[in-house]
Amino acid sequence: MNLQIVMEYTPEILAGVVVTMKLVVVTMVLGLLLAVPLALCRNAKSKWLSIPAYAYIYFFRGTPLLVQLFIIYYGFSQFESIRQSFLWTFLSESYWCSILAFTLNTAAYTAEILRGAIKSVPQGQIEAALSVGMSPIKLYTRIISPQAALIALPGYCNESVLMMKGTSLASTVALLEITGITRNLIAETFMPLELFFLAGVIYMIISTIMIGGFKLLEASLSRFRVEI
Amino acid sequence: MNSESHALTIDNLHKSFGDLEVLNGTCMCADKGDVISILGSSGSGKSTLLRCINLLEIPQQGDVYINDELIKMKGEGSKRKAADQRQVERIRSRLSMVFQSFNLWTHMTVLENIMEGPVQVLNVQKDDAKERAMAYLEKVGLADKYACYPSQLSGGQMQRVAIARALAMEPDILLFDEPTSALDPELVNEVLQVIELLAAEGRTMLIVTHEMEFARQVSSEIIFLNEGVIEISGSPEEVFNNKSSEKFSNFFAQGRTTQ
Ligand SMILES: Nc1ncnc2c1ncn2[C@@H]1O[C@H](COP(=O)(O)OP(=O)(O)OP(=O)(O)O)[C@@H](O)[C@H]1O
Ligand SMILES: [Mg+2]
């Protein structure tokens, strides 16, 4: 292995890191915003809410992320009406198509994680909240969310790291994130081993940082989990 | 139904779970300052009765009045529900329930547990709520534990915190559902002593309990529930000396042998 090459191309790949990080951060924020109402709908008593949410989650968990990305990137452009609409300013760009696909996908997984976490808050504590006259909104914001968030955190960390690694699929729609740039460099240099190895190390560093961040968050949230 | 004013009126309550009829036309009244103990064997519907009062369960039929205000319902049978969510929340805030399993909010300290209802539901200022919470903690003898989380307390301490939490709402009626049943025997007394203190203060209370001797001492009235109907009710002397109900005699005898 030629380490010289690795050092030489590191700055170029680091430009891809910025793109990957942007994808990850935007996807995590939008995905979470979408996952919360999805999880609430999935838990709702009304079939009109729970069945569509279930169908959504079923679809996005049951099909490959790459297929979802291709449907959005190649599929949508076939509709004249989409190409005419303002949406096209976004959907014609591989960056926004990737964001959309990753967001819809991670929202489905995150919703399932949140749903389970919400369900695991003890019924007795919910009854205690209702019995003092809390409104459903207060119940969720004051009693359920703080506990569910902590329960959901390890699963959500896992999902976020998987999603981060999944962003490498954006290279298939010509987005120059870490993997995309690496592939371009390999096409120039014919050194797949060194450069893919470098890309792998960079992904590993990012996931290590993410996991560390989640650990810190968990520690700061779980001060009430006193070991006895 | 007479027109006198009552703290609580329950009129012809019916509640079933599937085919199982739990409450079967239950009627009762409580006046201000009454301490009513509800006895009955396991599965006789004691918890269900209490839970219908604050609408944790919706009775399929029958009415509940708190301070002569009817809790409005709509719909029929299993589709029946509260007509006015705001009214339910307001009425629930006038009733406080103490549960068998304490149900403290585990992500909050003792102090936060007690302040939560007053601050979030009654909109009491934080400082006032804190003062109030500390006063009630003092009353249940746990002022030094205010900064603990529930996981750091014993069962008896948790239940006393739960009682302080209930008191902090300054409710019109306190509902106790077997407050000592989940406790180790040596922790039962500390909780019963607190409830006795509250009875002596003239608070209106409904207490589901298996502690016969305690019920006899603190109650102004005792109700014996059997298969969803009130089989006997009256003063402790009347009920405990009543030989006419075979069911109660059996229940009483069993209670004796298991104590
Ligand atoms: N949510 C529910 N769904 C189905 N059945 C229920 C439900 N809640 C209570 N029941 C049933 O209703 C009956 C009365 O229950 P309830 O809890 O009121 O009894 P209880 O008198 O409080 O008994 P215990 O002394 O054991 O607490 C029991 O047979 C119980 O199994
Ligand atoms: Mg019970």
Side-chain angles (χ1 to χ4, degrees), chain B residues 17 20 22 41-48 57 178 210:
Chain B
F17 296 105
L20 180 72
V22 178
S41 53
S42 184
S44 57
K46 306 178 299 292
S47 299
T48 306
E57 303 285 357
E178 300 197 31
H210 288 292

Side-chain angles (χ1 to χ4, degrees), chain A:
Chain A
M1 201 186 303
N2 190 339
L3 284 178
Q4 188 69 40
I5 291 290
V6 170
M7 298 308 289
E8 204 171 305
Y9 286 105
T10 300
E12 282 186 56
I13 293 185
L14 284 181
V17 171
V18 175
V19 179
T20 295
M21 289 314 293
K22 265 207 243 166
L23 280 178
V24 169
V25 170
V26 175
T27 301
M28 278 178 72
V29 171
L30 295 180
L32 193 57
L33 288 179
L34 185 57
V36 170
L38 264 177
L40 294 179
C41 288
R42 183 81 170 76
N43 269 345
K45 283 197 201 84
S46 157
K47 293 249 182 303
W48 295 103
L49 295 173
S50 65
I51 290 178
Y54 179 75
Y56 175 94
I57 292 167
Y58 189 81
F59 174 79
F60 280 98
R61 296 209 308 170
T63 54
L65 177 54
L66 186 61
V67 170
Q68 294 160 17
L69 179 60
F70 282 176
I71 288 176
I72 290 168
Y73 187 72
Y74 296 113
F76 283 1
S77 65
Q78 296 192 347
F79 295 98
E80 185 63 34
S81 56
I82 289 182
R83 269 180 295 158
Q84 298 301 329
S85 75
F86 76 98
L87 285 174
W88 193 240
T89 42
F90 295 103
L91 289 177
S92 61
E93 276 185 48
S94 56
Y95 176 73
W96 288 108
C97 283
S98 305
I99 293 268
L100 183 60
F102 299 152
T103 298
L104 295 179
N105 182 276
T106 198
Y109 283 94
T110 307
E112 273 302 277
I113 294 166
L114 293 180
R115 182 184 79 97
I118 290 170
K119 276 255 154 100
S120 66
V121 175
Q123 186 61 24
Q125 291 190 38
I126 294 171
E127 288 185 350
L130 292 176
S131 76
V132 295
M134 276 195 198
S135 63
I137 291 175
K138 283 265 157 74
L139 169 68
Y140 265 96
T141 54
R142 302 289 309 172
I143 307 298
I144 295 180
S145 310
Q147 299 192 58
L150 192 59
I151 296 165
L153 215 49
Y156 180 58
C157 168
N158 214 8
E159 164 54 21
S160 298
V161 170
L162 284 175
M163 186 272 292
M164 184 277 291
K165 292 187 288 187
T167 59
S168 66
L169 292 177
S171 62
T172 62
V173 294
L175 189 68
L176 293 177
E177 38 66 75
I178 298 174
T179 307
I181 289 181
T182 307
R183 280 174 57 178
N184 284 354
L185 292 175
I186 290 168
E188 285 168 24
T189 60
F190 305 105
M191 300 186 115
L193 178 64
E194 286 82 352
L195 291 170
F196 274 140
F197 181 79
L198 173 60
V201 169
I202 292 174
Y203 279 117
M204 216 165 69
I205 292 171
I206 296 176
S207 63
T208 305
I209 292 171
M210 285 174 74
I211 292 168
F214 274 104
K215 281 261 153 62
L216 284 179
L217 187 60
E218 194 177 344
S220 76
L221 286 178
S222 62
R223 61 198 147 66
F224 63 87
R225 283 257 169 106
V226 186
E227 303 297 333
I228 315 178

